[in-house]
């Protein structure tokens, strides 16, 4: 049997990027031989094995044929006769379809190296259209390598458009989609992921609520970029520049969905978009079965981001309600993430990227003030049950009044 490094490991070595996980392909072997050599099978009918020591993935060379809709709709054919070239042709992009032996001899039948130099994300063969997940993968690679100057080849974008229009994207499971979306959001230029999806018509299918933001104007005084879609991309861009976690990036993407519902005659104003957006945020959250912390933060940021911006003008009672809604006493981290998302929203505006955001420290100070209310003295005074809760609230409100007064002097 011959063993080759394939996919990302070869691509990233040629790009001079650090290689983290290595995928291997095995030519000329049977499943029985792999098992006899101590490899552990990954799935029942999938010709992929884990190395007994390194745990890295070793896949038998295989061909694939589409036999139905969705991911289940593939038949695999793995046998010792399948050649390296036959295995490589089923891969998504030419830059992912190179293999390398232990002497670093490159097998590159589909000119991945040429496309690496040309900075092109190009499909290997028309079979690209057999797996709709590839639309998301290409958009994700575009987000990752945008800084190196990579773009999607026009003919590949054309195939992605056909896939988007064919209805195949709807066959993707929430789990597969979320895996790509979450990885793409964590890339250096997540906004490119959304842009590429939009360019090929996939955004309209996957997240029509985000797609609908393009072409919706906002008041120029607060939003020099005017367009809500452009603003959303900038907020996402800021979230990556500021190394925000996935929760914040997800919230940034969804924070303004309500603006897509504003009746045109109200443009460019979006009264109460924080509330109208909530059901859309919920729908998108559930469509992709986003993790609970992402779902929660997106809803909270959607509902309260304008409160964040107006923090310094909020009445102490409104400040208290905000802090209570976030349960800052038990969930300080979530409130920090809310503050970050608000800051990204404020900076994701044309020409305002470097503005200061005093609201952030003001909100942190308010949380500290409310949190500093001690329960023990109230217990000693004999408060208990619901009365204790009311007393704590009263003390917190007092603390916030004092905080606000001190901040304004
Ligand atoms: P990453 O750096 O994100 O791991 P990768 O290219 O290694 O990038 P993997 O998901 O680890 O991506 O997959 C390894 C290889 O398997 C890819 O390079 C590609 O050749 C192939 N591959 C993975 N998923 C698909 C797919 N859906 N369609 C076609 N080829 C795929
Ligand atoms: Mg990989």
């Amino acid at each position: 049997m011959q063993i080759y490094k394939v996919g990302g490991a070869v691509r990233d070595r040629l790009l001079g990027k650090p290689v983290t996980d290595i995928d291997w392909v095995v030519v000329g072997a049977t499943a029985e031989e792999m098992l006899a050599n101590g490899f552990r099978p990954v799935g029942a009918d999938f010709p992929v094995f884990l190395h007994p020591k390194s745990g890295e993935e070793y896949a038998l060379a295989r061909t694939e044929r589409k036999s139905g809709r969705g991911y289940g709709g593939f038949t695999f054919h793995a046998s010792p006769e399948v050649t390296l070239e036959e295995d490589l042709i089923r891969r998504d992009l030419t830059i992912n379809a190179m293999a390398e032996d232990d002497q670093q001899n490159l097998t590159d039948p589909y000119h991945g190296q040429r496309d690496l130099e040309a900075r092109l994300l190009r499909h290997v063969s028309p079979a690209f259209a057999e797996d709709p997940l590839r639309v998301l993968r290409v958009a994700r690679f575009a987000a990752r390598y945008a800084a190196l100057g990579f773009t999607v080849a026009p003919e590949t974008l054309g195939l992605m458009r056909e896939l988007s229009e064919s209805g195949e994207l709807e066959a993707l499971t929430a789990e597969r989609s979320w895996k790509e979306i979450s990885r793409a959001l964590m890339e250096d230029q997540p906004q490119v992921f959304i842009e590429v999806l939009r360019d090929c018509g996939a955004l309209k299918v996957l997240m029509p609520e985000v797609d609908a933001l393009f072409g919706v104007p906002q008041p120029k005084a607060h939003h020099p970029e005017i367009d809500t879609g452009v603003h959303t991309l900038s907020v996402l861009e800021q979230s990556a520049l500021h190394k925000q976690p996935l929760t914040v990036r997800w919230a940034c993407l969804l924070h303004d969905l309500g603006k897509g519902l504003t009746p045109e005659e109200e443009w460019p104003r979006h009264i109460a978009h924080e509330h109208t957006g909530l059901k859309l945020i919920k729908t998108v959250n559930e469509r992709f079965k986003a993790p609970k912390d992402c779902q929660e933060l997106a809803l909270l940021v959607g509902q309260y981001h304008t409160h964040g911006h107006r923090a310094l003008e909020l009445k102490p009672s409104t400040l208290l309600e905000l802090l209570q809604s976030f349960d800052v006493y038990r969930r300080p981290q979530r409130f920090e993430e809310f503050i970050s998302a608000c800051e990204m929203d404020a900076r994701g505006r044309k020409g305002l990227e470097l503005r200061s955001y005093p609201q952030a420290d003001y909100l942190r100070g308010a949380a500290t003030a409310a949190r500093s209310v001690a329960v023990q003295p109230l217990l000693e005074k004999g408060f208990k049950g619901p009365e204790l809760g009311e007393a704590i609230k009263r003390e917190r409100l007092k603390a916030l009044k004092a905080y606000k007064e001190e901040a304004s002097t």
Side-chain angles (χ1 to χ4, degrees):
M1 64 173 87
Q2 302 105 47
I3 298 177
Y4 303 88
K5 250 183 219 173
V6 279
V10 180
R11 176 197 68 221
D12 288 338
R13 185 185 69 76
L14 291 171
L15 281 173
K17 289 234 158 196
V19 172
T20 43
D21 82 321
I22 304 181
D23 299 297
W24 305 86
V25 64
V26 183
V27 178
T30 61
E32 292 69 34
E33 286 172 79
M34 297 300 283
L35 297 174
N37 280 305
F39 284 85
R40 285 172 287 133
V42 167
D45 40 31
F46 220 64
V48 179
F49 300 84
L50 298 180
H51 191 278
K53 291 215 184 75
S54 71
E56 287 168 350
E57 279 194 8
Y58 285 67
L60 293 185
R62 66 176 189 258
T63 58
E64 286 174 358
R65 237 173 339 105
K66 185 146 179 83
S67 55
R69 265 173 84 90
Y71 194 48
F74 269 105
T75 45
F76 300 99
H77 170 70
S79 86
E81 283 78 48
V82 175
T83 65
L84 184 56
E85 285 74 10
E86 283 171 332
D87 178 275
L88 293 175
I89 201 169
R90 71 174 171 83
R91 293 169 185 271
D92 49 5
L93 296 171
T94 60
I95 64 166
N96 290 344
M98 297 181 277
E100 194 176 84
D101 66 15
D102 56 4
Q103 309 289 316
Q104 289 196 350
N105 294 312
L106 200 66
T107 302
D108 181 18
Y110 311 109
H111 310 294
Q113 225 182 356
R114 193 177 66 194
D115 286 336
L116 271 185
E117 274 153 32
R119 301 299 197 230
L120 277 175
L121 303 171
R122 189 203 304 277
H123 65 284
V124 175
S125 87
F128 177 91
E130 292 180 356
D131 179 7
L133 190 76
R134 292 169 189 159
V135 173
L136 284 99
R137 282 179 58 89
V138 174
R140 171 164 71 80
F141 284 116
R144 184 189 296 179
Y145 297 121
L148 296 177
F150 277 84
T151 56
V152 182
E155 52 288 17
T156 303
L157 201 66
L159 275 181
M160 290 161 71
R161 191 169 298 121
E162 280 173 34
L163 262 169
S164 305
E165 286 164 4
S166 72
E168 278 280 317
L169 279 177
E170 281 127 89
L172 287 173
T173 62
E175 288 75 13
R176 286 188 93 206
S177 301
W178 177 256
K179 200 168 158 225
E180 290 301 324
I181 293 167
S182 56
R183 292 182 73 187
L185 289 178
M186 292 313 291
E187 297 291 355
D188 282 346
Q189 301 207 38
Q191 76 282 8
V192 173
F193 175 70
I194 302 295
E195 278 172 321
V196 169
L197 291 180
R198 180 164 177 257
D199 285 349
C200 69
L203 192 61
K204 202 161 47 200
V205 180
L206 296 168
M207 299 187 207
E209 302 82 355
V210 176
D211 196 64
L213 300 178
F214 291 86
V216 174
Q218 308 164 101
K220 196 171 179 182
H222 297 294
H223 286 282
E225 73 287 346
I226 297 176
D227 189 278
T228 311
V230 173
H231 164 59
T232 298
L233 294 180
S234 304
V235 178
L236 206 48
E237 182 179 7
Q238 288 298 317
S239 76
L241 279 171
H242 291 269
K243 306 277 180 232
Q244 296 297 338
L246 178 62
T247 44
V248 173
R249 297 184 190 205
W250 182 241
C252 285
L253 178 63
L254 305 186
H255 78 285
D256 265 348
L257 291 189
K259 289 182 179 173
L261 293 176
T262 310
E264 273 191 51
E265 50 289 4
E266 288 177 23
W267 287 359
R269 297 184 63 204
H270 298 279
I271 306 144
H273 72 275
E274 304 86 345
H275 297 283
T276 54
L278 289 180
K279 63 175 185 295
L280 300 184
I281 297 173
K282 188 162 178 281
T283 305
V284 180
N285 271 338
E286 287 170 1
R287 181 178 308 139
F288 299 110
K289 297 188 185 152
K292 193 156 172 276
D293 55 349
C294 288
Q295 295 208 17
E296 256 181 28
L297 190 71
L299 285 165
L300 285 165
V301 169
Q303 185 167 3
Y304 294 112
H305 61 278
T306 33
H307 275 62
H309 301 326
R310 290 177 31 245
L312 280 81
E313 295 106 70
L314 295 180
K315 289 185 297 191
S317 58
T318 314
L319 255 180
L320 180 62
E321 278 168 35
L322 180 70
L323 298 173
Q324 304 280 93
S325 303
F326 277 85
D327 192 9
V328 280
Y329 319 102
R330 280 181 298 180
R331 305 280 303 272
Q333 180 60 28
R334 187 171 65 176
F335 192 60
E336 260 312 309
E337 292 181 357
F338 163 73
I339 295 173
S340 296
C342 291
E343 184 166 349
M344 300 306 109
D345 178 23
R347 292 179 191 276
R349 305 173 191 217
K350 199 171 162 212
L352 297 172
E353 295 83 358
L354 300 176
R355 80 203 301 193
S356 63
Y357 195 69
Q359 291 92 326
D361 276 341
Y362 184 81
L363 287 168
R364 286 185 190 110
T368 306
R371 230 183 267 126
S372 68
V373 168
V375 178
Q376 193 56 35
L378 297 170
L379 286 170
E380 281 164 16
K381 280 188 192 159
F383 287 110
K384 43 179 177 304
E387 283 181 2
L388 177 64
E390 284 309 310
I392 295 174
K393 252 175 117 169
R394 267 198 312 277
E395 291 303 314
R396 283 175 180 160
L397 188 58
K398 245 197 252 169
L400 286 172
K401 280 183 181 151
Y403 173 72
K404 188 173 161 69
E405 258 164 50
E406 192 175 317
S408 59
T409 54

